[in-house]
Amino acid sequence: MNNHGVRETEVVVIGAGQAGLSAAYHLRRAGYEPDEDFVVLDRSPRPGGAWQFRWPTLTYGKVHGMHALPGMELTGADASRPSSEVIGGYFAGYERAFGLRVHRPVAVRAVRDGQAGQEGQAGRLTVESSEGLWSARALINATGTWDRPFWPRYPGQELFRGRQLHTADYPGPQAFAGQRVVVVGGGTSAVQHLLEIAEVAAATTWVTRRPPVFREGPFDEEWGRAAVARVEERVRRGLPPQSVVSVTGLPMTEAMERARAAGVLVPRPVFDRVTPSGVAWADGSSADADVILWATGFRAAVDHLAPLKLREPGGGIRLEGTRAARDPRVHLVGYGPSASTIGANRAGRAAVREIRELLGSSQPLIPAAV
């Protein structure tokens, strides 16, 4: 700690989900020591990243495309257990196995340029957190999206007499027993919610802003690469990233086939307004509702980076690899094209490679196979 009460380190990692733990693992592999050369700050109360907040009926067997963290496989998991328990336990074991020493719960409020007038702080970054101030030469931001649920706005929304909630607050299907529910959204979470709620609700209505695209057959490697490339192109242009699932479409499962045949998985275009008793369309049709469930996704949780002025005119943060184009000290992992579990792993490794070069590390290169 320097004379100004600021703790100094080489790298600060913000977030301990898949991307943050991958970055921390690769920092260790490169010879950096936790709490000496780097620190990991996580705002969540326990290990598990966003997974710890998932609803209890999202069992591990329903998780689509969970990829193991680097260096330690997830084996023997009970598919019937909640994913929050399985993955939370796996992340906790991973932190112990590699001695990552995550600081939690720690909220990062802002990241700023170091104070040039303070001795040794020119060219460094100052991280303002609930744990105090940290000074670093580089930053790996791995904050994901869970903290920023997106709520669209429609006329009359504030007049609705029922309950409105977001996927981030979804408690499981039993909370909707006997109720009329409108599910808004065209992604995987919306479909999962709809299929569960339809089993217990009095009625369900599914509305989507765009017609959902269902994809038959497996998502092979070539298709996955093409989808990631489309997301990456937006990020290179400085536009806000789309989710990978928005360009892959929805995988058609047997349960979804049955729901479509039963008339549950039949979308309507999004309504024009919300009424006190439900939702209404311009053609005069309407649907009564006790609950509106907004499965409308999330946005990147990067507001704490605002003092660095990283955003482009298009509204996004332009990346060159994982490095912010406007500040080579800052890397974003789990953002845009790396917002998948396997993408987060690769991004963590790539960020550490570039940070080694930035810091002029004498440590050996990370083996390419790691």
Side-chain angles (χ1 to χ4, degrees):
M1 184 178 292
N2 65 21
N3 293 334
H4 302 282
V6 180
R7 284 175 280 189
E8 294 186 350
T9 189
E10 294 289 275
V11 185
V12 169
V13 180
I14 307 176
Q18 186 100 13
L21 293 182
S22 171
Y25 167 86
H26 287 297
L27 284 166
R28 291 223 68 179
R29 291 278 292 179
Y32 296 92
E33 287 297 322
D35 285 343
E36 294 180 21
D37 304 313
F38 75 94
V39 63
V40 183
L41 309 178
D42 185 41
R43 71 175 299 160
S44 298
R46 55 191 177 275
W51 291 101
Q52 66 193 271
F53 305 113
R54 305 294 197 208
W55 49 99
T57 49
L58 181 61
T59 58
Y60 184 65
K62 294 178 182 177
V63 171
H64 175 64
M66 171 65 191
H67 197 272
L69 285 159
M72 188 171 122
E73 293 295 320
L74 171 53
T75 59
D78 183 348
S80 66
R81 287 181 62 205
S83 61
S84 57
E85 295 179 6
V86 172
I87 299 173
Y90 170 55
F91 280 18
Y94 190 86
E95 292 176 16
R96 290 192 300 270
F98 296 106
L100 299 181
R101 305 178 198 168
V102 177
H103 296 224
R104 63 166 59 90
V106 177
V108 172
R109 302 187 181 103
V111 181
R112 307 180 189 278
D113 270 316
Q115 298 299 311
Q118 294 181 1
E119 183 180 352
Q121 295 306 297
R124 298 176 69 91
L125 295 162
T126 298
V127 179
E128 301 176 3
S129 79
S130 59
E131 191 179 58
L133 300 179
W134 290 88
S135 172
R137 295 174 65 196
L139 178 84
I140 298 178
N141 191 81
T143 46
T145 62
W146 188 259
D147 294 330
R148 282 202 64 201
F150 173 64
W151 291 75
R153 304 302 303 171
Y154 287 92
Q157 198 167 343
E158 70 283 357
L159 302 176
F160 181 60
R161 290 194 295 261
R163 182 163 53 118
Q164 299 185 60
L165 70 161
H166 191 275
T167 289
D169 307 305
Y170 179 69
Q174 289 306 318
F176 306 92
Q179 297 185 315
R180 300 161 298 179
V181 183
V182 174
V183 178
V184 185
T188 304
S189 294
V191 172
Q192 290 175 343
H193 298 337
L194 185 66
L195 267 58
E196 289 188 341
I197 292 170
E199 296 289 328
V200 298
T204 58
T205 303
W206 183 29
V207 299
T208 63
R209 193 160 56 91
R210 300 187 196 91
V213 177
F214 294 98
R215 178 173 168 78
E216 306 284 349
F219 285 81
D220 58 26
E221 190 172 339
E222 182 179 352
W223 177 263
R225 281 197 301 266
V228 169
R230 290 170 63 185
V231 178
E232 191 171 24
E233 174 59 24
R234 284 183 59 87
V235 172
R236 276 200 300 266
R237 291 161 52 200
L239 299 173
Q242 292 176 308
S243 66
V244 174
V245 73
S246 71
V247 295
T248 61
L250 293 162
M252 178 58 72
T253 65
E254 290 184 7
M256 290 162 66
E257 288 276 18
R258 291 193 297 270
R260 188 158 65 174
V264 172
L265 203 62
V266 177
R268 295 190 64 178
V270 74
F271 42 79
D272 294 275
R273 66 188 186 281
V274 179
T275 69
S277 59
V279 296
W281 287 262
D283 64 4
S285 62
S286 63
D288 291 335
D290 303 297
V291 182
I292 301 174
L293 174 57
W294 300 93
T296 43
F298 299 79
R299 298 294 183 263
V302 293
D303 288 353
H304 56 286
L305 302 179
L308 298 177
K309 297 179 171 58
L310 303 178
R311 290 191 186 273
E312 301 293 330
I317 299 175
R318 183 164 62 89
L319 299 184
E320 297 171 351
T322 62
R323 184 179 67 248
R326 291 178 178 262
D327 194 327
R329 300 168 298 178
V330 179
H331 289 255
L332 279 74
V333 296
Y335 176 88
S338 64
S340 65
T341 55
I342 189 168
N345 286 355
R346 292 170 176 168
R349 180 176 62 191
V352 172
R353 283 183 177 275
E354 293 211 23
I355 284 173
R356 288 185 70 262
E357 294 179 8
L358 175 73
L359 303 185
S361 172
S362 61
Q363 296 294 334
L365 286 172
I366 305 170
V370 172

